[in-house]
Amino acid sequence: MRPDQRPMRRLPTLEARRDALEKCVFCPKLCRTACPVSNEQPRETLTPWGKMSMAYFSAHGDVDATDSFAQPAWACTGCHACKSACDHGNDVAGTLLDARSALSKTGLIPPEAARVISDFESHETKTTAATKRLAQETDARADAKTLVLPGCGYVNKANDSARDIVNATARLAREPVAVMPGCCGLPLLYAGDHAAFAVHAERVATSIQHAERVVVADAGCAMALRRHYAASSVTVKPQIELLIEVAARELGRLETIGANETIRYHDPCQLSRGLGVTEAPRTVLSRILGKAPAEFDQRRERGACAGSGGLLPVTMPAVSKGISRSRVDEHARLGGGRIVTACASSLRAFRKSGAEADDIATWILRALPET
């Protein structure tokens, strides 16, 4: 028998998440130290228990329909650290995404998230123009069967890495590639507009159906195409591959070039905990460097979040910066050097915090001889 059989009258769409919500609400908060947000800003409502409880009470109508009870749903990077720490593997991040959607339909949405939704059309226009320029710069071909999705985080904020992603994919494929224009739509999902995300996802899926495969560099974009599209009943026809997994399969073609500084690998949350990919980046870097990369104390499935996902830099910028600064401080304490990652938002966060940082695509490109 469930502890509370009342219908969720105020937010009925969260009925599908009842089990996940109740697991958290009636739990003794054993995952509280796993959350980067509540570690940076120690408030009970920002722990996984607190965020899930606010969503649960809001769904039942047990608390007033106010911003203070709604906003904790957006205080999440989507890093899945609490899920890894939970004996039940409870999907807090996914549940909070549904809570954002349910709450936003009632008008309870942080103004920063609302602006992401209202500005998405201009964001899409900007990203499409940027990807078209990128295609010209890299001699990409529109009719190629291998399509590259660099991700808007790279294209708009780290164009040096975006070029390396396209060029590395072309060398690995041994043929020209095409560049997918525009954004995968993830900002809409994170902001709380599931309906608009589903419409955009369908549009993207239709636009790429001619391709044989789509090679994705950013872990968040890969999660969108592999997981979030399916959850929105959108079918993607081409095979979705991660650039790092393609490089790991082609390991024998990578030259060992070494490095004259310490190279430390950071596990992106969406790649390690979201998609379960931890070995491929280390295998590739070990081949390129001639030795295993340096590690953080917190790594692999237990790696610390960079604080840059889930729209947190928009909804809670100071907290996001503090989380990123903690990771960079750990890097410095361990001896410093250069951070290498496989995530656009982590890359930008580290660079903003003053660290020397590269995307792993840059190292893959350096290790691939021109043919």
Side-chain angles (χ1 to χ4, degrees):
M1 176 68 68
R2 293 184 182 277
D4 191 343
Q5 290 285 6
R6 291 176 301 154
M8 294 182 172
R9 58 183 179 81
R10 181 180 290 161
L11 304 177
T13 57
L14 288 186
E15 281 287 355
R17 292 287 188 170
R18 177 184 285 273
D19 184 65
L21 287 164
E22 288 180 352
K23 277 188 171 72
C24 277
V25 170
F26 295 96
C27 173
K29 316 174 195 177
L30 299 180
C31 72
R32 63 184 305 129
T33 60
C35 180
V37 176
S38 58
N39 284 340
E40 175 62 26
Q41 192 172 105
R43 287 167 45 200
E44 194 70 11
T45 54
L46 298 184
T47 63
W49 171 86
K51 287 177 278 200
M52 292 286 272
S53 294
M54 291 304 100
Y56 180 80
F57 297 143
S58 295
H60 278 299
D62 293 335
V63 295
D64 294 335
T66 61
D67 290 342
S68 62
F69 291 115
Q71 287 183 349
W74 280 266
C76 173
T77 66
C79 73
H80 307 289
C82 52
K83 181 179 180 180
S84 293
C86 176
D87 286 345
H88 302 285
N90 209 26
D91 184 15
V92 173
T95 302
L96 291 177
L97 284 180
D98 284 353
R100 293 180 188 187
S101 178
L103 289 162
S104 65
K105 288 176 182 176
T106 70
L108 294 172
I109 179 173
E112 300 87 355
R115 279 196 295 272
V116 169
I117 296 171
S118 63
D119 292 347
F120 184 77
E121 186 175 346
S122 61
H123 166 76
E124 175 71 355
T125 300
K126 173 185 175 183
T127 304
T128 298
T131 50
K132 287 181 178 178
R133 289 193 298 269
L134 177 65
Q136 293 174 344
E137 294 169 1
T138 55
D139 297 322
R141 280 177 38 180
D143 61 345
K145 292 301 183 181
T146 295
L147 191 59
V148 184
L149 173 57
C152 57
Y154 289 113
V155 172
N156 293 326
K157 301 291 180 65
N159 193 250
D160 57 328
S161 299
R163 287 192 298 270
D164 291 344
I165 288 165
V166 176
N167 289 327
T169 304
R171 288 191 192 178
L172 286 168
R174 291 191 172 104
E175 62 183 10
V177 298
V179 179
M180 178 180 143
C183 171
C184 69
L186 203 53
L188 290 170
L189 183 68
Y190 285 159
D193 195 337
H194 282 206
F197 171 75
V199 170
H200 186 80
E202 189 64 56
R203 189 180 303 127
V204 171
T206 300
S207 72
I208 65 175
Q209 63 182 352
H210 67 282
E212 292 180 356
R213 64 171 178 167
V214 179
V215 177
V216 186
D218 184 72
C221 294
M223 279 286 287
L225 268 65
R226 284 185 175 181
R227 304 277 178 84
H228 297 309
Y229 278 26
S232 296
S233 301
V234 174
T235 301
V236 177
K237 183 179 178 181
Q239 181 179 3
I240 305 300
E241 296 186 314
L242 282 161
L243 174 59
I244 188 60
E245 292 179 320
V246 176
R249 288 202 307 269
E250 299 287 338
L251 198 65
R253 293 173 55 200
L254 299 177
E255 296 180 348
T256 299
I257 59 176
N260 57 8
E261 60 184 328
T262 298
I263 303 298
R264 194 179 319 281
Y265 178 66
H266 165 79
D267 289 282
C269 302
Q270 301 301 321
L271 188 64
S272 59
R273 288 187 286 267
L275 295 170
V277 178
T278 59
E279 291 305 321
R282 290 172 169 81
T283 299
V284 168
L285 279 176
S286 295
R287 172 77 176 190
I288 295 171
L289 299 174
K291 60 180 180 180
E295 297 275 10
F296 285 90
D297 289 338
Q298 295 173 281
R299 55 188 180 270
R300 299 179 185 273
E301 293 84 357
R302 298 291 182 179
C305 180
S308 51
L311 219 65
L312 195 74
V314 175
T315 57
M316 302 180 74
V319 172
S320 174
K321 289 177 183 177
I323 296 169
S324 174
R325 185 70 252 172
S326 295
R327 193 60 160 166
V328 170
D329 287 347
E330 180 188 355
H331 171 62
R333 176 176 57 79
L334 293 171
R338 184 173 291 270
I339 301 174
V340 173
T341 189
C343 165
S345 58
S346 297
L347 178 68
R348 296 200 316 274
F350 292 145
R351 287 177 172 177
K352 285 181 179 180
S353 295
E356 297 291 330
D358 292 327
D359 189 80
I360 199 167
T362 297
W363 287 82
I364 293 171
L365 180 63
R366 291 173 185 170
L368 280 169
E370 293 188 46
T371 55

